[in-house]
Amino acid sequence: DQSTVDQRSVTAAHPQAQGFVQLARVESTVLVAASDNSLEKPQPIPVPVVLSGQLSQPGSIHSFELDAKKGAKLHISVEGSSLGFPWDPHLSVWDNAGKQLMEIDDPRRERDPQLTFNPPADGKYRVVVRDLNRHGGLDFIYRLNIEPASDFSLALSADSFVLPTDKPLEIPVTIERREGFAEPIRVRVAGLPEGVSCEAITSEAKGDSSKSVKLILKTEGDRAMLPDGPIRIEGVAAENQQRRVATFDLAKPLAGEHTAAWLTI
């Protein structure tokens, strides 16, 4: 396999097969749905998690059991039709007593369902995935993502930066905190060449640094031999260790979010 430039996916190939496939790169635990998964026998899972599964038979229902805390919102989404598979995913959340608390099915078939669940009490809950019409088959494949709704993201205003050899370079990083995210975040640069340094900086939960910070890059040693190359800006939450990589937008033909900025020295 070979990592793509933006580090958000992996291009995988096999020497005995033609072509290649693009695989998503995720920070969560990755699991496969158990073959005997059912409403009567839910599969225990951690959070955050990314699950892959297959509703192989008509009427198949997959159920996953997790522990949640009161008020600790979870973002839950399932992908099926958006991955190119011809079915209509249905998503629901149940309490441990068998009462359905939420359900969603997006009637627009080009979009898959997602919801934000706010646990009413500490305890165990079940996330259930099925086809809207209770069909099933070999191509009823899905990817289920469950993660804390309280989250953060980092953003850069440019896709490239120039570090002069005679003075420091400031890289501003914008921080967005969602659903009341209130942890310090340690922000650093990954992928710096030898001879370039940058001290990590902490974005505090409150105050000016909660919304933006500035990283300072400096050259050291033999500056004539310093190579240009890609770098990434990373943030790690102090308590739950959530890790996010700063993104930036590019215009066509490379439109979309990217994570590998170019550093020229």
Side-chain angles (χ1 to χ4, degrees):
D1 61 29
Q2 181 180 2
S3 298
T4 56
V5 172
D6 69 1
Q7 299 292 315
R8 305 191 75 179
S9 61
V10 172
T11 301
H14 193 281
Q16 297 180 355
Q18 294 183 345
F20 59 88
V21 63
Q22 205 76 13
L23 304 177
R25 182 188 294 270
V26 299
E27 301 296 332
S28 306
T29 299
V30 178
L31 298 175
V32 175
S35 59
D36 59 348
N37 189 313
S38 65
L39 278 177
E40 296 74 25
K41 190 177 181 180
Q43 179 178 346
I45 58 171
V47 176
V49 67
V50 175
L51 280 145
S52 295
Q54 180 189 58
L55 302 176
S56 58
Q57 302 293 329
S60 293
I61 297 176
H62 282 181
S63 177
F64 304 95
E65 186 176 74
L66 56 87
D67 291 306
K69 299 292 185 181
K70 180 180 180 179
K73 296 181 181 179
L74 297 174
H75 183 260
I76 306 172
S77 63
V78 61
E79 300 168 274
S81 58
S82 63
L83 297 176
F85 298 107
W87 66 290
D88 195 357
H90 179 277
L91 182 63
S92 58
V93 181
W94 303 63
D95 66 17
N96 205 36
K99 178 183 178 181
Q100 181 173 285
L101 304 178
M102 297 184 72
E103 69 171 333
I104 186 169
D105 166 66
D106 196 321
R108 294 171 291 177
R109 293 184 63 87
E110 72 276 14
R111 296 185 62 188
D112 288 323
Q114 56 180 302
L115 57 83
T116 298
F117 171 58
N118 189 6
D122 293 358
K124 294 185 180 296
Y125 296 88
R126 296 181 183 183
V127 176
V128 177
V129 178
R130 65 171 174 85
D131 176 60
L132 176 64
N133 301 303
R134 299 186 183 277
H135 296 161
L138 295 179
D139 54 359
F140 281 59
I141 295 173
Y142 66 86
R143 182 166 62 207
L144 175 67
N145 183 56
I146 305 174
E147 60 185 353
S150 179
D151 199 357
F152 69 95
S153 63
L154 309 178
L156 303 177
S157 60
D159 63 336
S160 61
F161 301 92
V162 178
L163 172 59
T165 58
D166 59 346
K167 61 180 180 180
L169 165 68
E170 289 188 355
I171 298 182
V173 183
T174 301
I175 301 165
E176 180 185 0
R177 296 169 178 265
R178 296 187 290 272
E179 294 289 347
F181 188 88
E183 290 186 32
I185 303 167
R186 187 170 175 81
V187 184
R188 63 180 290 268
V189 183
L192 285 175
E194 186 176 352
V196 177
S197 65
C198 178
E199 291 187 8
I201 190 168
T202 298
S203 165
E204 300 292 349
K206 297 181 179 180
D208 293 341
S209 70
S210 66
K211 298 180 179 179
S212 65
V213 295
K214 289 183 179 179
L215 294 166
I216 310 297
L217 278 63
K218 301 177 181 178
T219 58
E220 301 172 339
D222 186 357
R223 301 171 182 175
M225 301 298 293
L226 297 178
D228 302 339
I231 59 172
R232 290 178 296 129
I233 311 298
E234 302 176 340
V236 179
E239 296 178 20
N240 64 17
Q241 296 299 297
Q242 283 175 263
R243 176 182 171 274
R244 298 293 180 261
V245 180
T247 62
F248 55 87
D249 292 324
L250 288 179
K252 294 182 178 180
L254 299 175
E257 289 187 343
H258 296 261
T259 60
W262 190 261
L263 177 65
T264 299
I265 303 173

